[in-house]
Amino acid sequence: MASAADLFSLQEIDLALDHARDRLVVIEEEIQEPDELRELRQVQEEKESVVAGLRSRQKDAEDEVEQVRSKANQIETKLYSGKVTSPKELTDLNDDLRSLKELTAKREDRLLTLLVETDEADGDLSSTKSRLSAAAGEWQARRDQLLAEERELKPEVERLQSSREAAVSGIDPASLKLYQLLRERKAGQAVAHVERGMCGGCRITLPMSVLQKARSGTGLTQCVSCERILLVT
Ligand SMILES: [Zn+2]
């Protein structure tokens, strides 16, 4: 027959096990990458593709400016070479040159607008990158902490499990059954201390006969109100 003290020792082990296992569950959840980080990474990818698109448009715009500029240069060279003498041809070349210069100016304006847009998008991307890197650093540090705690808890759970097996081996099946049943019903607390004549579980003042039986240590005595196993120390 198990004593209330035996069951109390078992309860201490079980409560420590409950605590360690609950903590491991919380760690398992907290160790996952936070949504904020995943979202920031996605935002960064989107901004990178915006910058890449702008850079490619910028490159095209630069080529287009270069094309009209070199065409204008060719015409200018021809115009001032002294080789063209026909007034009609000279007028045509002048007209061509003017319109090419206008086109160059237009294309340069467009390029400038793109340069400003690229610059802004670049700044935007850099600030997202620093936010992501700060958030990632924070999470990494938190994760390392949690992993270290997990590394300590796992062997602790194993140690508690062996202690539990040893403790259970000395307890008779009927007492163990009662203990398990009460633990399920009383949020893990199957055994309660008697404190100044009161049940430590539900605070009721215990009848003298119950107190005497609990003090005698013969068999298990349960609280008349909450049914917890009473332990007198
Ligand atoms: Zn009670």
Side-chain angles (χ1 to χ4, degrees), residues 192 198-204 206 222-228 230:
M198 283 191 301
C199 164
C202 68
R203 317 302 299 170
I204 197 182
L206 295 158
Q222 288 175 257
C223 170
V224 286
S225 170
C226 72
E227 295 188 314
R228 285 187 180 89
L230 296 168

Side-chain angles (χ1 to χ4, degrees), residues 89-102:
E89 206 179 332
L90 283 170
T91 309
D92 286 350
L93 282 175
N94 257 319
D95 288 349
D96 284 352
L97 185 60
R98 197 176 47 247
S99 68
L100 278 172
K101 282 193 169 165
E102 277 169 14

Side-chain angles (χ1 to χ4, degrees), residues 46-58:
E46 284 160 11
K47 290 189 173 170
E48 271 166 353
S49 101
V50 167
V51 169
L54 280 168
R55 280 202 201 292
S56 134
R57 283 173 62 200
Q58 188 186 313

Side-chain angles (χ1 to χ4, degrees), residues 13 17 20-21 24 151-165:
I13 298 168
L17 259 176
R21 285 182 179 137
L24 279 173
R151 272 196 301 276
E152 281 179 19
L153 273 175
K154 281 185 172 167
E156 172 71 3
V157 166
E158 279 173 30
R159 193 187 64 74
L160 285 166
Q161 274 168 338
S162 327
S163 306
R164 186 180 201 279
E165 276 166 35

